[in-house]
Amino acid sequence: MVISSKDNETIKKLKKLKDKKYRDQENCYIIEGIKLIKEAINENAKIKLIIVCDDCKQENNIDEDAKYEIAKYECIYVTEKIFLSLTNVVNPQGILAVIEKEKSNNVINYDEDLFLVLDDIQDPGNMGTILRTADSLNLKQIIVSKGSSDIYNPKVVRSTMGAIFRINIIESDNLVKTLKDMKKHKIKIVTTSLQTDKKMYDVDYEKSAIVIGNEANGVSKEILELADEKVKIPMPGNTESLNASVATAIILYEAMRKKLK
């Protein structure tokens, strides 16, 4: 059976998952594209439903092994018109899935050596790319302020390229308090700031929490006052600032370089 009616109850519920309020209420989110779905299967994510476009013109390029794995889950088939009403992608691959959120673990694991803290990162693309970068460095947890972009926003999920299945996202209701608690556990707070002469090369990142600030305003004043170290990325050119995700990658990889050295 192929669903062709926009009034179908399942389709109505799927459309609602575009909104954060309903994602929170249903404890689910949508992933899209065969690569992400294969990642979800490999990482044992809780796949509740897979939706396949029955007559999409785009090639799905789903290999036989993937088709075999997908067939193990509950699947529904929809017309192209219905599928396009569910997707936010310009050129969709014709397959998406509903994933149940992992049970939140808001307890910080202090056994780690390097921590990443996001202070009100707003852009979904930045958020997703930062998660992907953190995953490339094998970071297992990220602390985000409550005012940050929703981790389960479809654009964030796409940008993570599967990292969302491997990183524990710890949402802090009060980031200042969270950082004070981290300091009690002998974690050094390192913030980015233009108001310092200290370069990112001049800091020891052992047992450190690197705080990346809001795209427009940087790290908040209250958190800057808590910082043990304030650093900046040298920019000898004419550019005054860097994209938040780019800045995160540069500093995280410098911290990793020092650790490997």
Side-chain angles (χ1 to χ4, degrees):
M1 176 184 172
V2 179
I3 298 173
S4 59
S5 173
K6 64 180 181 180
D7 295 321
N8 178 278
E9 287 304 315
T10 299
I11 300 305
K12 286 181 179 179
K13 288 179 180 179
L14 289 171
K15 285 181 181 179
K16 287 182 180 180
L17 288 175
K18 291 182 178 182
D19 297 328
K20 182 182 185 303
K21 179 181 176 181
Y22 196 72
R23 288 195 295 269
D24 291 343
Q25 182 181 318
E26 294 297 309
N27 201 41
C28 293
Y29 62 101
I30 286 178
I31 65 172
E32 186 164 349
I34 187 59
K35 186 180 186 303
L36 261 184
I37 290 173
K38 287 168 76 171
E39 288 269 10
I41 292 171
N42 291 337
E43 297 295 333
N44 296 313
K46 297 175 182 176
I47 301 174
K48 298 190 70 176
L49 181 66
I50 295 177
I51 300 93
V52 181
C53 180
D54 186 62
D55 58 347
C56 282
K57 298 179 182 65
Q58 293 85 350
E59 288 290 330
N60 286 334
N61 295 322
I62 304 175
D63 57 67
E64 291 303 316
D65 288 342
K67 286 179 180 177
Y68 176 76
E69 291 298 324
I70 287 168
K72 295 178 182 178
Y73 298 90
E74 182 182 354
C75 296
I76 63 170
Y77 293 83
V78 302
T79 62
E80 183 177 29
K81 185 176 180 180
I82 294 298
F83 191 89
L84 291 175
S85 73
L86 300 175
T87 180
N88 291 313
V89 179
V90 177
N91 295 306
Q93 291 183 323
I95 187 166
L96 54 82
V98 178
I99 308 293
E100 183 178 331
K101 293 180 186 178
E102 289 291 333
K103 188 175 181 181
S104 180
N105 178 9
N106 267 352
V107 179
I108 297 172
N109 175 12
Y110 287 107
D111 292 336
E112 300 291 332
D113 185 59
L114 185 65
F115 302 82
L116 178 61
V117 181
L118 305 181
D119 180 18
D120 283 7
I121 293 294
Q122 295 297 301
D123 183 79
N126 279 340
M127 180 64 81
T129 304
I130 288 171
L131 262 68
R132 186 179 177 186
T133 300
D135 184 47
S136 76
L137 287 161
N138 204 31
L139 296 188
K140 299 300 183 185
Q141 58 188 346
I142 291 180
I143 299 105
V144 302
S145 64
K146 194 173 183 180
S148 295
S149 175
D150 178 28
I151 295 295
Y152 300 102
N153 175 300
K155 187 174 181 180
V156 173
V157 174
R158 287 197 303 276
S159 299
T160 69
M161 299 294 284
I164 194 168
F165 306 127
R166 293 181 286 271
I167 297 177
N168 181 34
I169 311 297
I170 300 168
E171 187 176 271
S172 171
D173 290 331
N174 186 330
L175 197 54
V176 171
K177 181 179 182 302
T178 297
L179 289 171
K180 285 180 178 178
D181 289 342
M182 294 181 80
K183 284 170 74 81
K184 289 176 184 176
H185 284 82
K186 309 300 181 185
I187 305 299
K188 179 168 58 182
I189 308 302
V190 179
T191 66
T192 53
S193 173
L194 295 176
Q195 311 306 316
T196 181
D197 292 326
K198 185 170 282 189
K199 299 178 178 64
M200 66 175 190
Y201 308 120
D202 304 328
V203 173
D204 177 8
Y205 294 94
E206 187 175 353
K207 278 292 179 182
S208 292
I210 298 172
V211 184
I212 303 297
N214 173 270
E215 291 92 338
N217 303 311
V219 177
S220 63
K221 181 182 176 183
E222 295 84 355
I223 291 174
L224 283 173
E225 290 172 354
L226 280 176
D228 298 296
E229 299 276 13
K230 300 183 185 72
V231 300
K232 66 181 177 183
I233 299 170
M235 289 183 285
N238 292 324
T239 299
E240 293 182 355
S241 62
L242 292 172
N243 172 281
S245 61
V246 173
T248 304
I250 290 171
I251 294 176
L252 284 181
Y253 269 90
E254 171 61 14
M256 181 60 66
R257 185 190 68 83
K258 287 202 166 185
K259 184 178 179 182
L260 292 173
K261 188 177 179 181

